[in-house]
Amino acid sequence: MKLTANLARCATYLKHCSDRTPTNEAAREIPGVCRILATAIRAAAIFGGQWMVWTFAGLFDVDYRVSALFVPAAYTVVVPMLVGARWLPWLYICLQSVALLNTPGLTFAAIDHLGGIRHIVLYGGMGLYLRRVWFRSSRRFSLETATYFIAVALIVSLAGTILTKFTHTYAPLPPEQSGLRFLAIWGGDFSGVMVGVPLLLLSLRS
């Protein structure tokens, strides 16, 4: 009977762990092995999601690591929106691991750590901010909400694109082509957030 009760509590925990972290009272009622299992499943799911969005973004590449629809930016917004800040270090590891596995010739020593930190801080921070603002019980979708989201996405993607000048190493280009690459990075990040965040939220919270 005790084993059956433990399995039932474990199943309940796994079912709801994607919504929010359990309270201290609920956590004490759940066997430790179930919490470890749930954490491992969530970690694997975050890595798998990172792999999928990175692969999808690669279909729209216009230059080396420049996508016209950079959905990984949206993924980095959505994950902390749903599970909080404590998963951001793991999200950074997933981001760099997927980049390493999907970029021919890229070695661990050549990983763009500053670029990864920029990505996590800006888009992860945006996700944490939207988590605090959007997930209030009184919050309802409206034109004001949509305009607010567009403005935040525009500012964050612009800031991220400006910072790529200091955190990424791209092949030198003539000034006129450098401007086009700047617009491609900004447009790819912005469109990735605008398209990806609503779709990911709908799919993950359905």
Side-chain angles (χ1 to χ4, degrees), residues 38-115:
T39 300
I41 291 173
R42 179 175 287 180
I46 290 174
F47 181 85
Q50 186 70 258
W51 180 283
M52 286 189 289
V53 296
W54 188 279
T55 303
F56 181 78
L59 300 175
F60 302 90
D61 278 354
V62 295
D63 198 353
Y64 174 70
R65 297 188 70 173
V66 179
S67 173
L69 189 64
F70 193 61
V71 186
Y75 190 72
T76 307
V77 173
V78 168
V79 169
M81 281 184 73
L82 297 179
V83 298
R86 67 193 184 99
W87 284 93
L88 286 178
W90 174 246
L91 191 58
Y92 172 81
I93 293 173
C94 292
L95 176 71
Q96 300 292 38
S97 299
V98 170
L100 183 65
L101 294 171
N102 281 274
T103 307
L106 183 65
T107 62
F108 180 81
I111 288 178
D112 183 10
H113 293 289
L114 284 178

Side-chain angles (χ1 to χ4, degrees), residues 110-155:
I111 288 178
D112 183 10
H113 293 289
L114 284 178
I117 293 171
R118 171 199 63 85
H119 180 91
I120 294 296
V121 168
L122 284 174
Y123 292 108
M126 176 180 171
L128 292 174
Y129 179 69
L130 293 178
R131 172 186 174 92
R132 180 174 62 85
V133 172
W134 276 15
F135 289 169
R136 300 183 203 153
S137 59
S138 60
R139 194 75 178 185
R140 296 290 183 269
F141 182 79
S142 64
L143 179 60
E144 180 185 358
T145 304
T147 304
Y148 186 80
F149 169 66
I150 294 171
V152 172
L154 192 65
I155 293 170

